[in-house]
């Protein structure tokens, strides 16, 4: 289990979960590939990274966030991902 193995980075596991979900979602669009798109991410008016979507991939890069927030997000990434997925399902 990832939580018990100190070699497994939780953020990597969370990213892989997002990637699997995006792959399933994209495959359901009958092969239509979205164009590469990068969107800046901002917190309280300050740029903190970007999200990039290309082909069947979705990449989230947070490059300038508070260490305490990064630790909080790292510890809760799976829960946050599932919450976002549930919100998405409720909107579609």
């Amino acid at each position: 289990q990832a939580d018990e193995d100190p070699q497994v980075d939780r953020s990597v596991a969370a990213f892989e979960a997002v990637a699997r979900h995006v792959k399933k979602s994209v495959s359901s669009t009958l092969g239509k590939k979205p164009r590469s798109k990068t969107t800046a991410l901002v917190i309280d008016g300050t740029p903190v990274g970007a999200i990039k979507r290309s082909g069947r991939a979705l990449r989230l890069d947070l490059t300038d966030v508070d260490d305490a927030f990064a630790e909080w997000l790292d510890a809760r990434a799976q829960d946050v991902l599932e919450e976002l997925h549930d919100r998405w399902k409720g909107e579609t």
Side-chain angles (χ1 to χ4, degrees):
Q1 292 179 336
D3 291 336
E4 295 174 12
D5 186 351
Q7 300 297 323
V8 176
D9 185 336
R10 286 178 152 176
S11 62
V12 172
F15 175 79
E16 289 172 351
V18 170
R20 283 191 301 273
H21 172 72
V22 170
K23 183 176 181 179
K24 288 179 187 176
S25 296
V26 171
S27 67
S28 69
T29 62
L30 301 175
K32 295 180 183 176
K33 292 184 177 180
R35 293 182 303 171
S36 180
K37 179 182 174 185
T38 301
T39 304
L41 296 174
V42 177
I43 296 175
D44 294 331
T46 302
V48 295
I51 189 164
K52 181 176 182 178
R53 182 172 180 196
S54 61
R56 301 179 90 181
L58 180 70
R59 180 177 176 152
L60 173 66
D61 286 314
L62 298 177
T63 56
D64 192 18
V65 295
D66 179 89
D67 285 341
F69 174 67
E71 288 178 23
W72 179 90
L73 183 57
D74 184 32
R76 293 164 180 81
Q78 185 62 48
D79 293 336
V80 170
L81 177 64
E82 289 178 15
E83 179 183 331
L84 290 173
H85 185 255
D86 288 345
R87 286 176 57 185
W88 170 77
K89 287 192 312 188
E91 293 176 8
T92 58

